[in-house]
Amino acid sequence: MRESVQAEVMMSFLVSEELSFRIPVELGYETCDPYAVRLTFHLPGDAPVTWTFGRELLIDGVGIACGEGDVRIEPVDPEMLGEVLIRLQVGGDQALFRTGAAPLVAFLDRTDRLVPLGQEGALADFDTHLDEALDRILAEEQSAG
């Protein structure tokens, strides 16, 4: 059975040191892809943009700086669980978002109640769903290219 957890969080999109604006971000988690979380950003004037990355990266990033490559997450102040920075990068372009840690922790707690951390592999049909997701991604890339 496919189950999911959804939440909406307001994040600050940090355009520069002088300019930022708040945007709604949908957080999503599904048992058919138990290792991943989805963040869908609703930027004014643009189509929504979804980033999918490891749930464990988000868990770790609330407390310590982590991530390599396209997704990096870190607390604003490692001594205090207050706010979190999420840096997304594609090539030379990057976007920086700032949000409170509390809504992320609440969302992650709900995902953990659905699929406890470390128990993702126990989902019997994970391999089937992974194959379907990979096929869908490849098909989207081929149609876009």
Side-chain angles (χ1 to χ4, degrees), residues 6-7 14 16 18 25 30 38 47 69 71 76 81 83 88-89 91 93 100 102 104 107-109 114 121 139:
Q6 307 286 322
L14 307 174
S16 69
E18 300 84 28
V25 178
E30 295 182 352
R38 289 179 328 283
V71 180
V76 171
L81 184 65
E83 291 187 306
L88 307 173
Q89 187 165 342
D93 296 328
L104 297 179
F107 168 76
L108 290 166
D109 181 59
L114 189 59

Side-chain angles (χ1 to χ4, degrees), residues 33-95:
D33 191 0
Y35 292 99
V37 292
R38 289 179 328 283
L39 276 64
T40 301
F41 298 89
H42 297 274
L43 299 170
D46 286 334
V49 176
T50 300
W51 280 72
T52 303
F53 53 88
R55 174 172 68 154
E56 196 166 350
L57 176 63
L58 186 58
I59 292 168
D60 291 345
V62 169
I64 60 170
C66 62
E68 296 179 14
D70 297 344
V71 180
R72 296 182 183 168
I73 304 172
E74 64 184 290
V76 171
D77 180 356
E79 301 296 318
M80 189 173 92
L81 184 65
E83 291 187 306
V84 175
L85 293 173
I86 300 173
R87 185 180 319 275
L88 307 173
Q89 187 165 342
V90 176
D93 296 328
Q94 72 175 3

Side-chain angles (χ1 to χ4, degrees), residues 22 37 54 57 73 100 105 128 135 139:
R22 298 194 40 87
V37 292
L57 176 63
I73 304 172
V105 170
T128 301
D135 289 344

